[in-house]
Amino acid sequence: MTTPPASAAPELLRVTDLHAFYGESHILHGVDFRVAAGELVTLLGRNGSGRTTTLKAILGLTGKRTGSVTVDGRETVGMPTHKIVQLGLGYCPEERGIFASLTAEENLLLPPPVGSGGLSVDELYAMFPNLQERRKSPGSRLSGGEQQMLAMARILRVGARLLLLDEITEGLAPVIVQALGRAVRTLKEKGFTIVLVEQNFRFAAGLADRHYVMEHGRIVDMIPQAELTASMQKLQAYLGV
Amino acid sequence: MQALFGQLLVGLINGSFYALLSLGLAIIFGLVNVVNFAHGALYMTGAFLAWFGLANLGIGYWPALLLSPLAVGLFGMVLERTMLRRLYQLDNLYGLLLTFGLTLIVEGLFHHAYGNSGNSYPVPEALQGGTDLGFMFLPRYRAWVVLVSVAVCFASWFVIERTRLGAYLRAGTENPRLLQAFGVNVPLMKTLTFGFGVALAGFAGVMAAPIYQVSPSMGSSLVIVVFAVVVIGGMGSIFGSIVTGLGLGLVEGLTKYLYPAASSTVVFAVMAVVLLFRPVGLFGRET
């Protein structure tokens, strides 16, 4: 691993005492974690522990939220979603969020730039060749794997530096999971900062610098990659596997 | 024979207005998720602005064709910013009720100021007269109305279905929250879309002024049919609203020729039949 230790790099994302609600239901109960620039961290936990909601709350996609979320030192609680994203965020939602009424290429070209240094369409087609073949197809006709690749490619084009990836391997064939693993590794080498919510622990374990464990809407533990093997028993208890 | 073509032309004219109005309603419903009951009142406002401009300010038809929709569009954007926006978290029934109330207020104000009788608006000089086609007489202004309405409708359709700007509208119609999560200013898009949709109504109003009487109730008699058109075409379908608007105008005209007594109800009969067999409308997408 060539990445410097987390402490050396400047902090890109800092979440402090984050509470989030959907209507009357209180989902996040004071989430605290931080991510350094260039780091890849995972949010692990059982279903319903609040990992997806944490990503949504960072983007302002939940209902009311309190606490603090800073991106590159700028407070974003209270900002509208599109302003937060313009700070350089890219979001890959759990349901992939491919627009059915747009073609694959329209989907790819849709998001406006949120920063400099995005990958070109050619680079993206080189990374995900299937997308080039399918570029005229409506979003609704793409396979699950193609949709996931498109959802990834879409946020890489816009120059986002901080990627929030939610369950990108869910329900996909092993060969596609491997391709996504290679893509995520490439992104990390290119210096992207990534927060990965992942059910597939083996996928996450091979990529991450640190793992945050969530339970009942809180972060309950943090495990650096180096201590992962030693912490397996503890982790299995957390995840119930 | 002449009577048939005459009625079909009337049908096509009415259909042009149905298409312009239902197109605006469809775009607004799609992105803003508001069933804009005030559409008829804003169409009437467009016609009145043209009439008022000519009678009091010497503003002729051609500038009115631009200025009147602009004014109606701006008024719509103010309504969206100050009132409709507050209702987005609620069921869209609330938007319908609000715009229904606005309709009553706007129409009431015009009734109060101008009474119930219609005012006539002259056909612009360049479009007076007509051509004898042999089988019928075609007034030039009516031909203009059909051509321009069809051109405006299909230009709107092209922009929405084939351009980048349209891709934003389609994406926003499908999932506005997600579009905003890609950094697009969706609240601003909604304001502009609402403004554009009602500007189309204002535009239709100016087009209608030389054909129908300019009266405070001209919108309410039309808007009910237009809602039926939107439902038949499929809620929110752009293409559906254009084709259905023109088609139903023709069906109405044909009915006037075959069995005049049914001409004002035929649209609703069609609506009932379509809903029985295709509840999402002719061009609506099944979900």
Side-chain angles (χ1 to χ4, degrees), chain A residues 208-230:
Chain A
D209 296 312
R210 290 183 298 134
H211 304 275
Y212 284 103
V213 182
M214 289 195 75
E215 256 178 17
H216 307 303
R218 285 187 190 85
I219 302 282
V220 291
D221 207 347
M222 191 277 284
I223 301 168
Q225 183 66 19
E227 296 168 20
L228 191 62
T229 331

Side-chain angles (χ1 to χ4, degrees), chain A residues 82 86 97 100-101 106 109-110, chain B residues 164 168 170 174 178 180 183:
Chain A
H82 61 272
Q86 284 164 10
S101 55
E106 279 181 323
L109 300 178
L110 184 77
Chain B
R164 206 176 150 69
Y168 282 115
R170 277 176 284 144
E174 216 179 299
L178 183 64
Q180 198 172 4

Side-chain angles (χ1 to χ4, degrees), chain A residues 119-132 149 152-153 156 179-180 182-188 190 192:
Chain A
L119 275 65
S120 71
V121 173
D122 288 340
E123 284 174 287
L124 290 168
Y125 281 151
M127 194 183 254
F128 304 108
N130 291 26
L131 294 183
Q132 184 160 25
M149 291 176 187
M152 289 280 288
L156 298 179
L180 286 168
R182 282 194 298 274
V184 171
R185 198 179 299 276
T186 309
L187 295 176
K188 185 168 158 44
K190 284 178 188 274
F192 284 86

Side-chain angles (χ1 to χ4, degrees), chain A residues 60-62 80-82 85-86 91 93 97-102 106 109-112 114 154-155 157, chain B residues 161-164 166-168 170-172 174-187 285:
Chain A
L61 290 173
T62 55
T81 296
H82 61 272
V85 172
Q86 284 164 10
Y91 175 48
I98 299 304
F99 295 103
S101 55
L102 275 61
E106 279 181 323
L109 300 178
L110 184 77
V114 298
R154 186 165 56 175
I155 55 173
R157 195 187 59 80
Chain B
E161 293 297 330
R162 294 284 181 272
T163 68
R164 206 176 150 69
Y168 282 115
R170 277 176 284 144
E174 216 179 299
N175 191 342
R177 297 291 281 157
L178 183 64
L179 184 63
Q180 198 172 4
F182 290 128
V184 176
N185 190 342
V186 173
R285 198 173 315 164

